[in-house]
Amino acid sequence: MKNALITGITGQDGSYLAELLLEKGYNVYGIWRRKATADYGNIAHLKDRVTLIYADMTDPVSLITAMKISQADEVYNLAAQSFVAASWGTPLGTAEIDAVGVTNMLEAIRIVKPEARFYQASTSEMFGLVQEIPQRETTPFYPRSPYGVAKLYGHWITKNYRESYGMFACSGILFNHESERRGIEFVTRKITDAAARISLGVQDCLELGNMDSKRDWGHSKDYVRAMWLMLQQDKPDDYVVATNETRTVREFVEIAFRRTGIEIEWQGEGVNEVGINKADGKTVVRVNEKFFRPAEVDILLGDPAKAEAVLGWRREISFEELVSRMVDNDLARVRHEIKAGELS
């Protein structure tokens, strides 16, 4: 029976990965930060099946202790300040966790159990101002946010430890992946939550930024499977995990609202664009300049050919199913809140 240690276990990816590893018979350990009240996040349903260890990515001693306790055979580093918009407001904090924190974890492994296998959650945001379409493992990086820059450090330090110390260290360059467990502050969940609320009459309008941004969206449950597969190979390597399909924010909005029974008609353009409910002529979507990034990433499109060929990985959940799952989950939650008298 293998031992696995997951940083960021209470997040979207951490929870799906924990479920996958438990299904495969692993002993699962997770790192979480001390808070005034226990916050199990997305693993409330798993809290009696995993072992949680108090530690922090900015505290090397705590990570060494976590490695000693878990004796992990596999370490999955999913902990991050992962909200791109917030990285401009907290650039140093983002760097401490997303860049230096990776080094802290690698050092803990090297000191306690250097034979352990390590997975680093890299990101398509490292491509930023894209140098080729689609983006592959060989595409030059050009990050356009403090988050992307910090993640690029984490990516390269992982490669450095692999080549310098012979550690089994992999990076998964994951393109946008969402789910019903995505944080409400992320644009995809903001859209599905608003679509549910507007359709149920408890919200009037949704405000968004750049409607023309194009992203390669998949489901987190598919992507954590790729993480696990990377650590089962004979040799460590880096892989792009993506769908090779790009959609605009506008398309995401249309599918989400359609799932609730609202058909949208677009009027205007740029910052004057609005989405009108065809049924009653009311404005349900409006562009707001305050949601535009200081440096925009216009298109991300990944080529997963290497992951498919070497890992045997395939995405199973389509874009339409991803959006539908998120909307259905938010509809059920908002209906429950209305029934409980929390919303009116």
Side-chain angles (χ1 to χ4, degrees), residues 253-311:
V253 170
E254 289 172 349
I255 294 173
F257 273 83
R258 188 175 301 128
R259 183 70 177 179
T260 71
I262 297 174
E263 287 289 340
I264 289 181
E265 180 178 277
W266 299 100
Q267 296 180 4
E269 58 183 28
V271 296
N272 296 314
E273 185 173 18
V274 294
I276 307 297
N277 183 346
K278 286 184 179 180
D280 58 17
K282 291 182 178 179
T283 298
V284 291
V285 182
R286 181 178 290 112
V287 173
N288 188 326
E289 283 185 282
K290 77 176 184 179
F291 296 117
F292 280 70
R293 294 183 181 186
E296 190 60 65
V297 174
D298 295 316
I299 180 171
L300 292 173
L301 175 63
D303 180 359
K306 180 178 175 182
E308 292 177 349
V310 178
L311 305 179

Side-chain angles (χ1 to χ4, degrees), residues 47-65:
K47 62 184 177 67
D48 296 326
R49 300 179 62 196
V50 302
T51 302
L52 296 172
I53 304 168
Y54 286 122
D56 192 290
M57 298 302 293
T58 64
D59 184 347
V61 174
S62 72
L63 298 179
I64 290 172
T65 300

Side-chain angles (χ1 to χ4, degrees), residues 319-338:
F319 176 72
E320 289 76 9
E321 185 179 351
L322 161 67
V323 180
S324 295
R325 285 188 181 197
M326 293 178 69
V327 172
D328 291 350
N329 182 74
D330 281 325
L331 280 169
R333 179 180 55 81
V334 175
R335 286 192 181 107
H336 176 76
E337 291 173 357
I338 293 172

